[in-house]
């Protein structure tokens, strides 16, 4: 057997495996959806990084008439065409395969700008823009788990399962789902989501301490300073390393976010908003003034202006008399 025939044997085995596990299992539309999802995300990230680097040979943003069109718009169009097309063709072959691929492309384009949808602001290259990468990775992971045939806890009741066994299985799945929700409330996003599919992960996340910035810590650790201190130490030692590794990986995949300088207008705007909230919280009269209707606020402002003018005129008259 020569080298050409040796190379053809693994390829033939791969094709046979694909037909057995994907085509025969009726999972080809889902497989093409995953392929379109991953390819569109990688391609659009490569494109925006080339645009960011101002590479001359790469086409720039699409701006007809000066209006910048985000690639999310094209993603929404792909989702609409794919969804309507499946219903229009009644999910028949080969249309469902092509529409599955188109739907995956739309998912990659839309979720890549998930942070823009969430914040209603273009935060693509800021720290908030990392939520888009989280959404894409979670979407790809969930689709891959469905493609490989995972179900919660990896078990399916068989035809010979009695009533007690079924209820026991339902109870175990319900407990696992509840613990996954607890892990999510404790700020352990990956642990909670992966625990839905992989048994045992959510159980560990639900038992361990919550992250200090999580809703669980705000609810449960406010009156437990020792537990909150332990959570802070764990966050500083353990989660800081994991966050650095995660940041390095995300920088490699999606590019590093912009570092906003101290004199940037966005920094000043955020600082002014925080200072205004703090001042309103400390000054009840000012807070009540802000919560009043616009007409009352205008009248109050005029009254303060008149009082200030009278005070200045009185001081000026008394100053002349003293002089």
């Amino acid at each position: 057997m020569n080298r050409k025939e040796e190379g053809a044997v693994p390829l033939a085995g791969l094709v046979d495996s694909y037909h057995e596990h994907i085509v025969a299992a009726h999972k080809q539309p889902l497989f093409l959806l995953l392929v379109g999802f991953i390819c569109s995300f990688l391609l659009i990230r490569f494109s925006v990084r080339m645009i960011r680097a101002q590479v001359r040979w790469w086409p720039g943003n699409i701006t007809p008439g000066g209006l910048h069109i985000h690639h999310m718009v094209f993603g929404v169009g792909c989702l609409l065409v794919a969804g309507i097309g499946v219903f229009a063709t009644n999910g028949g072959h080969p249309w469902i395969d092509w529409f599955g691929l188109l739907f995956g492309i739309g998912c990659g384009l839309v979720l890549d700008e998930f942070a823009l949808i969430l914040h209603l602001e273009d935060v693509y290259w800021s720290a908030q823009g990392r939520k888009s990468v989280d959404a894409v990775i979670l979407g790809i992971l969930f689709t891959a788990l469905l493609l490989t045939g995972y179900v919660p806890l990896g078990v399916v009741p068989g035809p010979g399962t009695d009533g007690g066994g079924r209820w026991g299985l339902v109870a175990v799945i319900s407990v696992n789902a509840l613990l996954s929700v607890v892990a999510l409330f404790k700020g352990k996003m990956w642990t909670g989501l992966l625990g839905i599919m992989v048994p045992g992960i959510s159980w560990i996340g639900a038992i361990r301490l919550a992250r200090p910035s999580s809703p669980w810590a705000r609810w449960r650790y406010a009156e437990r300073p020792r537990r909150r201190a332990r959570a802070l130490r764990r966050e500083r030692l353990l989660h800081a390393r994991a966050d650095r590794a995660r940041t390095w990986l995300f920088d490699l995949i999606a590019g590093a976010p912009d570092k906003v300088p101290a004199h940037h207008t966005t920094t000043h705007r955020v600082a002014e908003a925080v200072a205004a909230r703090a001042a309103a919280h400390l000054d009840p009269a000012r807070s009540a003034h802000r919560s009043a209707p616009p007409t009352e606020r205008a009248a109050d402002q005029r009254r303060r202006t008149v009082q200030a003018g009278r005070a200045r005129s009185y001081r000026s008259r008394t100053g002349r008399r003293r002089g």
Side-chain angles (χ1 to χ4, degrees):
M1 183 180 295
N2 54 26
R3 293 183 178 180
K4 188 174 182 180
E5 293 178 351
E6 290 178 358
V9 171
L11 182 60
L14 186 62
V15 172
D16 293 339
S17 179
Y18 176 81
H19 278 281
E20 179 182 356
H21 297 287
I22 302 298
V23 178
H26 305 287
K27 292 183 178 181
Q28 184 163 281
L30 186 61
F31 174 78
L32 294 175
L33 188 152
L34 180 61
V35 171
F37 199 158
I38 297 174
C39 292
S40 64
F41 171 69
L42 294 178
L43 179 61
I44 199 60
R45 277 288 167 173
F46 176 79
S47 175
V48 295
R49 291 181 74 170
M50 292 296 101
I51 295 172
R52 188 189 191 189
Q54 297 181 355
V55 178
R56 294 182 179 179
W57 53 268
W58 188 258
N61 292 313
I62 300 176
T63 55
L67 175 64
H68 173 64
I69 299 180
H70 293 269
H71 50 266
M72 175 186 65
V73 177
F74 300 100
V76 171
C78 292
L79 294 177
L80 287 174
V81 172
I84 296 173
V86 169
F87 287 105
T89 58
N90 198 22
H93 287 282
W95 295 108
I96 191 171
D97 297 331
W98 291 107
F99 288 138
L101 179 63
L102 186 63
F103 193 88
I105 294 173
C107 288
L109 295 177
V110 171
L111 288 183
D112 186 58
E113 293 195 314
F114 172 77
L116 186 149
I117 302 173
L118 181 64
H119 293 278
L120 293 179
E121 188 178 356
D122 192 359
V123 292
Y124 195 87
W125 290 117
S126 66
Q128 292 87 351
R130 288 301 173 87
K131 296 183 179 67
S132 298
V133 185
D134 289 331
V136 168
I137 292 178
L138 289 176
I140 292 174
L141 180 63
F142 185 73
T143 307
L145 289 174
L146 292 176
L147 184 64
T148 54
Y150 268 87
V151 294
L153 292 179
V155 291
V156 177
T161 306
D162 56 358
R166 287 179 179 272
W167 282 110
L169 183 61
V170 169
V172 172
I173 293 176
S174 301
V175 171
N176 184 73
L178 177 62
L179 294 177
S180 298
V181 173
V182 172
L184 291 173
F185 276 118
K186 285 191 172 185
K188 306 175 186 295
M189 179 184 299
W190 292 99
T191 303
L193 292 175
L194 288 176
I196 298 175
M197 295 292 180
V198 183
I201 295 181
S202 60
W203 301 48
I204 298 174
I207 294 173
R208 297 182 64 188
L209 286 171
R211 305 191 71 168
S213 59
S214 64
W216 187 277
R218 292 195 298 268
W219 299 337
R220 305 282 295 177
Y221 297 170
E223 299 178 356
R224 298 180 179 180
R226 295 181 61 182
R227 182 162 293 188
R228 182 170 181 80
R230 286 176 54 202
L232 288 171
R233 285 197 303 269
R234 184 184 295 272
E235 181 77 14
R236 187 168 54 251
L237 296 176
L238 180 62
H239 291 291
R241 298 174 184 174
D243 288 342
R244 283 196 296 269
R246 173 176 168 270
T247 301
W248 175 84
L249 178 62
F250 281 14
D251 288 346
L252 180 64
I253 297 174
D258 292 330
K259 294 181 179 180
V260 181
H263 61 275
H264 197 271
T265 55
T266 304
T267 307
H268 284 289
R269 187 168 63 249
V270 173
E272 290 175 359
V274 172
R277 292 196 197 98
H281 179 70
L282 295 175
D283 188 359
R286 187 175 179 182
S287 178
H289 169 71
R290 289 193 169 190
S291 60
T295 54
E296 295 184 8
R297 279 186 286 176
D300 184 53
Q301 184 66 30
R302 287 195 298 270
R303 185 168 59 254
R304 290 187 179 186
T305 303
V306 172
Q307 290 177 356
R310 289 176 179 173
R312 285 196 297 270
S313 62
Y314 177 74
R315 283 196 297 270
S316 63
R317 288 198 300 271
T318 54
R320 286 198 299 270
R321 287 177 182 176
R322 288 182 180 179

